[in-house]
Amino acid sequence: MTIRHLKIFIQVAETGKMSAAAKNCYISQPTVSQAIHELEEYYGVLLFERLSRRLYITESGKKLLTYARETVRSFELLEEAMRKDRMVDHLNIGASITVGNCLLSQIISQLQTLKPELELYTQVGNTTEIQENLLNSSLDIALVEGMITHQDLVSIPVVEDFLVLACSPSHPFASRKTITFRELNNQPFALREPGSGTRELFARTLQSSGIHIKIACEANTPQAIRNMVMYNNCLTVISIRLIDDEVRNGKIHVIRNSTREWDRSFFLVTHKNKTFTPAMQLLRELSGQFPRPALPEDIPSGLLLP
């Protein structure tokens, strides 16, 4: 039994004639008769009584007619919806919290300008959350600052970034030109939550240096961390992109890492089996336009030594 069978049956029921149904369906009359016969065999009921060369629908036929009309209408709505879907380009974009706070809105704005017909959905979370949603296909593509290790995901570096040690101008470190890693021992820090790419990179530094810090605050929003630095005398390690305004306004003091271990990239990530659409390619091109960030030359900063 197919939708075609039901459409033919509806025409026969509504016209009362095989010939009229054949004409309306643009098929031969024997084809109509065969379809009705197949329906009757399939359901094991008589759908029409044939009396004096006229067709009379049976009670079973009336029941089928009710459901057939609903089924065909539902199928037509499905067809219409899917045809419209083929005409609309969708893109579900994920971003880790750092990327979401410093780059995502600019990229989305450019995407909407260049492809106004593109339907966009965005989700911001930590790197671990974004990875899970790429794997379950609720996201098509993502920009993250953390390392992606799952074998089913492909990562492409697209944007350069680096972390800095940040403190308030009133912190004792702010008056010094150099700080050593050892001096970070037992200092209070405001950090991103576990699962963050920034947190993971800093944790590797601590582990390799044998440094133990005090975690005074864990937060999944950059503003909460900035506030803890500015008003609660905490240190943090953060992307320079997230504190650019505060650094320029003298609200946060920056201490640069003398090594390159806090240099990193933001990665464009997709599932290895995902079809790379034109919209995804455009996202990649737009992401690659962001230059490496730089500290303002006229603003003093410290240096973190091994």
Side-chain angles (χ1 to χ4, degrees):
M1 193 274 291
T2 66
I3 291 293
R4 180 173 177 271
H5 283 88
L6 295 181
K7 287 182 176 180
I8 293 172
F9 166 72
I10 291 170
Q11 284 299 315
V12 174
E14 290 181 347
T15 62
K17 297 179 180 180
M18 295 278 188
S19 57
K23 182 179 180 180
N24 291 344
C25 293
Y26 302 99
I27 56 178
S28 67
Q29 187 168 327
T31 302
V32 173
S33 298
Q34 179 65 26
I36 298 301
H37 177 69
E38 289 173 354
L39 275 174
E40 290 178 329
E41 280 199 340
Y42 183 83
Y43 288 114
V45 297
L46 186 67
L47 298 175
F48 296 98
E49 288 186 313
R50 297 156 181 85
L51 303 173
S52 303
R53 296 186 179 181
R54 296 187 61 182
L55 295 178
Y56 297 89
I57 192 167
T58 65
E59 289 302 315
S60 294
K62 291 177 181 178
K63 181 184 294 186
L64 178 60
L65 181 60
T66 299
Y67 287 108
R69 284 170 171 160
E70 293 177 359
T71 301
V72 169
R73 178 55 181 158
S74 295
F75 179 77
E76 289 173 345
L77 290 173
L78 169 63
E79 289 283 282
E80 182 181 356
M82 295 309 294
R83 280 194 295 269
K84 287 181 178 179
D85 204 50
R86 287 200 303 268
M87 299 170 62
V88 178
D89 198 1
H90 301 266
L91 189 61
N92 296 333
I93 305 172
S96 56
I97 290 174
T98 296
V99 178
N101 276 268
C102 63
L103 298 183
L104 185 61
S105 61
Q106 299 174 62
I107 293 172
I108 295 301
S109 178
Q110 290 178 305
L111 272 174
Q112 289 172 329
T113 299
L114 295 172
K115 289 184 73 68
E117 76 284 2
L118 183 63
E119 287 193 2
L120 294 170
Y121 166 79
T122 59
Q123 180 186 88
V124 178
N126 65 38
T127 299
T128 299
E129 294 168 341
I130 296 301
Q131 174 175 285
E132 291 175 357
N133 288 327
L134 286 167
L135 289 170
N136 66 30
S137 201
S138 60
L139 292 174
D140 299 315
I141 195 167
L143 280 164
V144 302
E145 79 265 20
M147 293 295 295
I148 298 293
T149 57
H150 198 283
Q151 61 184 5
D152 289 337
L153 298 178
V154 178
S155 301
I156 305 168
V158 288
V159 182
E160 289 186 81
D161 187 53
F162 62 90
L163 304 179
V164 293
L165 180 67
C167 64
S168 74
S170 61
H171 194 282
F173 286 177
S175 61
R176 297 170 52 186
K177 292 184 178 180
T178 61
I179 306 296
T180 65
F181 269 108
R182 189 177 299 276
E183 291 179 273
L184 301 183
N185 210 46
N186 292 321
Q187 290 287 337
F189 272 78
L191 297 180
R192 286 284 308 281
E193 79 289 354
S196 154
T198 299
R199 171 76 172 262
E200 181 183 355
L201 179 54
F202 183 44
R204 290 201 298 268
T205 301
L206 295 176
Q207 185 175 11
S208 63
S209 304
I211 301 298
H212 300 279
I213 63 171
K214 295 178 182 178
I215 300 178
C217 171
E218 288 184 330
N220 60 5
T221 64
Q223 187 57 56
I225 292 175
R226 289 193 293 260
N227 287 343
M228 291 297 294
V229 170
M230 291 186 291
Y231 307 118
N232 300 97
N233 223 31
C234 285
L235 298 169
T236 195
V237 170
I238 192 170
S239 168
I240 185 63
R241 296 178 186 273
L242 291 176
I243 55 173
D244 183 73
D245 289 342
E246 289 80 5
V247 171
R248 293 179 185 276
N249 293 332
K251 295 180 179 180
I252 289 182
H253 179 76
V254 167
I255 301 168
R256 296 174 289 115
N257 192 339
S258 61
T259 71
R260 299 294 300 266
E261 61 183 323
W262 287 353
D263 286 9
R264 65 179 185 178
S265 294
F266 295 159
F267 294 91
L268 195 71
V269 187
T270 59
H271 195 283
K272 66 180 183 181
N273 296 328
K274 195 77 173 180
T275 300
F276 211 83
T277 65
M280 293 164 70
Q281 178 59 35
L282 179 58
L283 175 64
R284 177 178 179 176
E285 293 169 3
L286 293 175
S287 302
Q289 294 177 0
F290 291 91
R292 177 182 171 85
L295 287 171
E297 295 182 359
D298 58 335
I299 295 177
S301 61
L303 194 63
L304 182 63
L305 302 175

